[in-house]
Amino acid sequence: MPLLVYCISFAIFAIEIMKKTIGILLLTLVSATPIAAERHTGNATQAFAQADAPRISVNQGSVTITTAADTQITFEVYSMTGQLVKRIRTNDGSVSFDLPRGCYIIRCERWSKKILVN
């Protein structure tokens, strides 16, 4: 009986590890979108210049995202395990928030970017 319990526990542990690994791989694929990207709408293609892209700065656990003053963008912050950590919307062109130490992926509708918080 104890061997059966051990096998079941190990199977559950292995499934959890595989779920986290798949989540990391999927986020890595999603985060490979370049900042200067092209959006295809029907037959038209709009190129987004890098100057239009929001700027991200990290300073001792504080993350600041700066956009154009009249732009409202929703950002999602994900941990490396794929969990949504924060959802933030810029209103006045800039937003700041704190994150614990670690690696994160910040996404918006146009791009995604990896950051490291020390």
Side-chain angles (χ1 to χ4, degrees):
M1 187 68 170
L3 182 62
L4 179 62
V5 172
Y6 175 75
C7 290
I8 292 172
S9 297
F10 181 76
I12 292 171
F13 176 74
I15 289 170
E16 290 299 316
I17 294 294
M18 287 184 347
K19 284 177 15 183
K20 288 183 180 182
T21 304
I22 290 170
I24 291 171
L25 290 173
L26 289 174
L27 280 175
T28 303
L29 290 173
V30 169
S31 68
T33 307
I35 290 177
E38 293 183 349
R39 177 182 288 171
H40 300 283
T41 312
N43 293 331
T45 301
Q46 296 175 339
F48 293 107
Q50 206 165 9
D52 294 342
R55 290 179 310 218
I56 300 174
S57 62
V58 180
N59 187 12
Q60 297 180 355
S62 178
V63 179
T64 302
I65 301 174
T66 306
T67 62
D70 59 345
T71 306
Q72 291 185 354
I73 300 175
T74 301
F75 294 94
E76 295 172 339
V77 181
Y78 291 93
S79 68
M80 291 308 287
T81 59
Q83 294 176 320
L84 179 65
V85 177
K86 287 187 182 283
R87 182 173 285 131
I88 297 169
R89 184 171 183 86
T90 60
N91 291 325
D92 60 355
S94 180
V95 65
S96 294
F97 53 93
D98 293 328
L99 287 174
R101 186 177 181 177
C103 294
Y104 298 91
I105 296 173
I106 298 180
R107 293 190 57 209
C108 70
E109 66 180 33
R110 295 183 184 177
W111 55 264
S112 58
K113 183 173 177 110
K114 293 180 214 172
I115 63 166
L116 176 64
V117 178
N118 292 327

